[in-house]
């Protein structure tokens, strides 16, 4: 069964992770712009970061047979640096229209400050202007209030819930997200956010419609194989193949496919892997390695 991991910070992961994900059936990943663990001090470092995930990271994924897409945005934590935020907002329109961008994201609230609210609203307006879906980061503290507030603001800005994915959903927030017509995404972590066992229980209780599983793997303790592992556990618990396919593949494709930037043909009719290829003179290989060269047409 093919899988899409629709929230993976691959810039923080190794080539071993790409190899393992491809072997487990992951055909595509979506990399949302995020906070990298240390505050950026100027717009130049943000520009380089966005260029990296839209450039070298797409190349690196392709070297292992995985299609790579991005969400572009100013994260909520760095929205609290107003000087930086203003400069980044000037950058976003030119990056958001590049090939492979499937949404504005991940945006939303962290501490739910006034500055976070200001730049969240501006980015919702940008998504509407560019006709792009949106990926919402819901806060880890005071999550229920933050999720409700996010959905209120999205509707104030006249965006259709069908074009918005609310991420990091849990048992506390799923009912409201579903009732208001948004996509509900769940980040499966080894020790926090959501476990595979709890995810399986939610699919049994709520059904598979509009639910999405992701790994949100990053530089912390996280697992890039969370999506296939969750699928395996759901199968062991008797959840149907059709429902597993919805939450680990088809729902993400339907939500982000509204961008026009991600489609099945991308991985059903892939470009051949050729690890002899260089990106700006750089290779993913190291000395002595034999490059993988796919000779299939």
């Amino acid at each position: 069964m093919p899988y899409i991991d629709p929230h993976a910070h691959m810039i923080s992961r190794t080539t071993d992770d790409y190899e393992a994900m491809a072997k487990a059936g992951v055909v595509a990943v979506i990399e949302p712009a995020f906070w990298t663990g240390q505050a950026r001090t100027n717009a130049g470092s943000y520009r380089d970061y966005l260029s990296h995930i839209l450039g070298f990271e797409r190349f690196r994924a392709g070297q292992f047979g995985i299609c790579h897409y991005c969400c572009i945005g100013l994260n909520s934590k760095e929205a609290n640096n107003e000087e930086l935020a203003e400069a980044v907002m000037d950058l976003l329109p030119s990056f958001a229209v590049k090939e492979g961008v499937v949404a504005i994201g991940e945006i939303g609230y962290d501490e739910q400050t006034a500055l976070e609210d200001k730049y969240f609203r501006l980015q919702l307006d940008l998504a509407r202007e560019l006709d792009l879906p949106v990926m919402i980061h819901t806060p880890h503290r005071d999550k229920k209030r933050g999720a409700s507030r996010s959905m209120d603001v999205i509707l104030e800005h006249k965006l259709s819930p069908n074009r918005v994915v609310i991420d990091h959903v849990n048992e506390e927030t799923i009912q409201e997200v579903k009732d208001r017509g948004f996509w509900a995404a769940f980040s499966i972590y080894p020790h926090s956010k959501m476990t595979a066992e709890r995810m399986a229980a939610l699919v049994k209780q709520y059904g598979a419609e509009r639910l999405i599983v992701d790994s949100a793997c990053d530089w912390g303790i996280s697992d890039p194989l969370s999506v296939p592992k969750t699928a395996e556990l759901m199968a062991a618990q008797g959840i149907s193949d059709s429902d597993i396919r919805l939450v680990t593949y088809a729902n993400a494709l339907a939500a982000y496919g509204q961008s026009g930037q991600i489609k099945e043909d991308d991985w059903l009719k892939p470009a051949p892997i050729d690890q002899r290829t260089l990106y700006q003179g750089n290779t993913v290989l190291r000395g002595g390695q034999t490059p993988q060269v796919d000779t299939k047409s």
Side-chain angles (χ1 to χ4, degrees):
M1 183 179 293
Y3 304 111
I4 296 174
D5 189 342
H7 188 145
H9 301 292
M10 298 309 297
I11 191 172
S12 301
R13 309 302 304 194
T14 68
T15 53
D16 288 351
D17 293 327
Y18 274 125
E19 289 182 313
M21 293 171 83
K23 186 177 180 180
V26 176
V27 295
V29 297
I30 296 175
E31 176 146 11
F34 84 138
W35 184 66
T36 55
Q38 176 172 313
R40 281 166 279 225
T41 58
N42 61 79
S45 60
Y46 221 107
R47 181 196 299 275
D48 290 342
Y49 165 75
L50 296 176
S51 297
H52 185 114
I53 62 174
L54 280 163
F56 182 70
E57 206 53 53
R58 296 195 78 198
F59 164 78
R60 198 164 72 106
Q63 292 289 282
F64 298 94
I66 294 177
C67 297
H68 182 282
Y69 308 88
C70 287
C71 304
I72 295 299
L74 169 69
N75 67 84
S76 53
K77 193 179 285 286
E78 287 175 308
N80 290 300
N81 179 339
E82 190 166 16
E83 181 179 356
L84 174 70
E86 284 294 322
V88 171
M89 287 303 302
D90 289 339
L91 296 176
L92 293 184
S94 62
F95 281 99
V97 298
K98 291 185 181 295
E99 181 181 359
V101 175
V102 298
I104 297 296
E106 56 183 303
I107 62 173
Y109 295 113
D110 181 40
E111 299 289 350
Q112 304 188 53
T113 67
L115 284 174
E116 291 171 19
D117 186 68
K118 172 184 175 181
Y119 293 105
F120 180 36
R121 290 173 182 272
L122 287 172
Q123 291 183 93
L124 292 175
D125 289 341
L126 178 63
R128 192 179 62 248
E129 291 165 13
L130 298 178
D131 196 25
L132 278 172
V134 181
M135 178 191 289
I136 299 297
H137 165 91
T138 52
H140 304 305
R141 294 171 293 279
D142 201 4
K143 180 179 285 291
K144 186 170 177 58
R145 185 172 71 90
S148 294
R149 183 179 177 186
S150 298
M151 290 182 276
D152 290 343
V153 171
I154 291 163
L155 295 177
E156 282 178 30
H157 283 253
K158 310 298 184 188
L159 274 80
S160 167
N162 187 50
R163 295 178 65 80
V164 180
V165 177
I166 308 295
D167 211 338
H168 312 320
V169 172
N170 62 14
E171 292 88 344
E172 189 180 28
T173 53
I174 181 173
Q175 188 66 61
E176 183 180 359
V177 173
K178 283 183 66 71
D179 288 348
R180 300 180 80 170
F182 293 89
W183 298 92
F186 301 80
S187 301
I188 311 299
Y189 262 32
H191 305 295
S192 63
K193 288 189 172 74
M194 174 63 60
T195 66
E197 290 80 6
R198 288 162 54 201
M199 188 69 232
L202 289 174
V203 173
K204 291 177 184 176
Q205 179 177 352
Y206 291 93
E209 185 181 356
R210 305 185 80 79
L211 305 190
I212 296 171
V213 170
D214 62 60
S215 76
C217 60
D218 57 14
W219 38 261
I221 297 174
S222 50
D223 185 353
L225 298 182
S226 284
V227 175
K229 286 180 178 178
T230 302
E232 184 177 346
L233 183 136
M234 289 192 290
Q237 294 195 4
I239 295 174
S240 69
D241 286 350
S242 59
D243 280 353
I244 294 172
R245 182 180 173 85
L246 282 174
V247 300
T248 61
Y249 179 84
N251 287 345
L253 181 59
Y256 293 107
Q258 296 177 90
S259 67
Q261 290 290 318
I262 177 173
K263 55 187 184 303
E264 281 189 311
D265 275 356
D266 295 348
W267 49 88
L268 295 180
K269 299 177 181 178
I273 295 174
D274 184 352
Q275 292 182 341
R276 297 170 301 184
T277 308
L278 302 179
Y279 181 86
Q280 296 182 353
N282 295 314
T283 173
V284 298
L285 303 178
R286 292 298 178 262
Q289 284 188 271
T290 301
Q292 178 182 346
V293 180
D294 188 350
T295 58
K296 291 183 294 185
S297 59

